């Protein structure tokens, strides 16, 4: 234990305590104080997030996405289809950054943008992972396939397990919206559908948790392939 700084707290007799607290002190009850240090700690700014007065991170367009794909030998893309909770998007961007995703793609409509809440939850991921918003997600998926990217969508209705698929090549993983999952056209434009095996009583995972499971299964496979090469 560290010593209390001199003059930082009341003495044994409780003389320096405010009058309402002295009775508690005499009874051996220690009041829980929230002084400036504690309040400052709770209000401390996230060191990964810039001041809110700065311009928010702007999304990129489809042309920028295709340039990113062309610049990578093995593109690794994440598509989110109408995720609306800023906490989920922030958590997804944090995971995407940790997994080494080259870009996160989302539709412009029915999709949360990068807000201050998203940036805070992402602890820096939103500032580093390119976030692309497109007008027509199905068309963008077709362009990704034309560029040699295989698209794997996640669905509870899929017959194949995520762990049975080869996720080592040029890849785009697709996560659906909260509750509803992927839209029909999004699902139809996937090359494969995969599910996460569930062993308990719940039917599915939160979208941000599912993204973490899928991304790091792909990371595991890709790293194993690199070490064998």
């Amino acid at each position: 234990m560290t010593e209390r700084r001199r003059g930082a707290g009341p003495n044994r007799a409780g003389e320096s305590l405010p009058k309402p607290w002295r009775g508690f002190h005499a009874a051996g009850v220690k009041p829980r104080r929230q002084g400036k240090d504690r309040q400052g700690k709770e209000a401390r700014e996230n060191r990964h997030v810039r001041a809110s007065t700065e311009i928010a991170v702007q999304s990129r367009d489809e042309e920028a996405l295709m340039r990113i794909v062309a610049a990578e030998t093995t593109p690794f893309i994440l598509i989110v289809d109408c995720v609306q909770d800023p906490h989920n998007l922030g958590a997804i961007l944090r995971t995407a950054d940790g997994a080494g995703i080259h870009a996160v793609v989302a539709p412009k409509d029915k999709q949360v943008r990068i807000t201050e809440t998203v940036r805070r939850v992402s602890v820096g991921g939103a500032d580093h992972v390119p976030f692309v918003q497109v007008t027509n997600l199905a068309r963008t998926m077709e362009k990704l396939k034309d560029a040699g990217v295989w698209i794997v969508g996640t669905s509870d209705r899929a017959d194949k397990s995520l762990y049975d698929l080869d996720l080592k090549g040029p890849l785009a993983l697709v996560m659906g919206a909260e509750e509803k999952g992927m839209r029909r056209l999004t699902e139809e434009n996937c090359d494969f559908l995969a599910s996460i095996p569930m062993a308990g009583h719940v039917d599915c995972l939160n979208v941000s948790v599912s993204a973490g499971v899928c991304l790091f299964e792909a990371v595991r496979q890709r790293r194993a392939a690199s070490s064998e090469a």
Side-chain angles (χ1 to χ4, degrees):
M1 296 179 65
T2 58
E3 292 184 355
R4 184 191 298 271
R5 291 183 296 107
R6 292 182 181 179
N11 59 30
R12 291 181 180 275
E15 289 82 0
S16 63
L17 283 171
K19 286 183 179 181
W21 290 1
R22 291 179 185 174
F24 290 103
H25 187 275
V29 178
K30 296 182 178 180
R32 185 177 179 181
R33 305 183 64 178
Q34 287 199 352
K36 294 181 179 178
D37 290 344
R38 183 178 180 86
Q39 292 172 354
K41 183 180 292 185
E42 291 178 347
R44 185 181 302 154
E45 293 183 359
N46 189 322
R47 62 186 178 87
H48 298 282
V49 179
R50 297 170 186 166
S52 58
T53 55
E54 293 187 15
I55 299 174
V57 175
Q58 298 296 314
S59 60
R60 307 191 190 188
D61 59 17
E62 187 177 77
E63 291 183 3
L65 170 65
M66 300 317 296
R67 288 195 296 269
I68 291 171
V69 170
E72 299 294 337
T73 304
T74 311
F76 191 16
I77 307 297
L78 176 63
I79 298 173
V80 290
D81 188 19
C82 299
V83 170
Q84 297 181 356
D85 188 326
H87 293 86
N88 281 335
L89 181 59
I92 288 170
L93 288 168
R94 179 176 184 173
T95 303
D97 182 62
I101 283 290
H102 297 129
V104 174
V105 184
K108 287 184 177 180
D109 295 331
K110 300 179 181 179
Q111 167 72 42
V112 65
R113 299 175 183 272
I114 297 185
T115 63
E116 283 302 316
T117 298
V118 171
R119 296 178 71 199
R120 185 178 70 252
V121 174
S122 76
V123 292
D127 295 325
H128 298 291
V129 179
F131 184 67
V132 179
Q133 287 196 285
V134 297
T135 303
N136 188 327
L137 184 59
R139 183 187 64 192
T140 300
M141 293 171 71
E142 288 289 349
K143 288 189 175 183
L144 287 171
K145 288 192 283 188
D146 290 342
V149 177
W150 292 89
I151 301 180
V152 176
T154 54
S155 172
D156 300 334
R157 300 181 298 275
D159 296 328
K160 291 186 178 181
S161 165
L162 171 74
Y163 305 110
D164 294 332
L165 293 181
D166 184 344
L167 306 174
K168 296 186 290 291
L171 175 69
L173 286 167
V174 188
M175 312 303 303
E178 300 92 343
E179 297 183 9
K180 295 182 180 180
M182 290 183 294
R183 293 174 294 175
R184 179 181 59 83
L185 281 177
T186 303
E187 184 172 320
E188 289 177 357
N189 276 284
C190 293
D191 295 303
F192 301 99
L193 295 178
S195 63
I196 299 173
M198 303 292 291
H201 299 289
V202 297
D203 295 329
C204 60
L205 300 174
N206 172 276
V207 62
S208 63
V209 176
S210 296
V213 172
C214 295
L215 290 178
F216 277 92
E217 169 58 16
V219 168
R220 183 192 67 80
Q221 292 188 23
R222 295 158 91 87
R223 286 184 176 176
S226 297
S227 63
E228 293 172 1

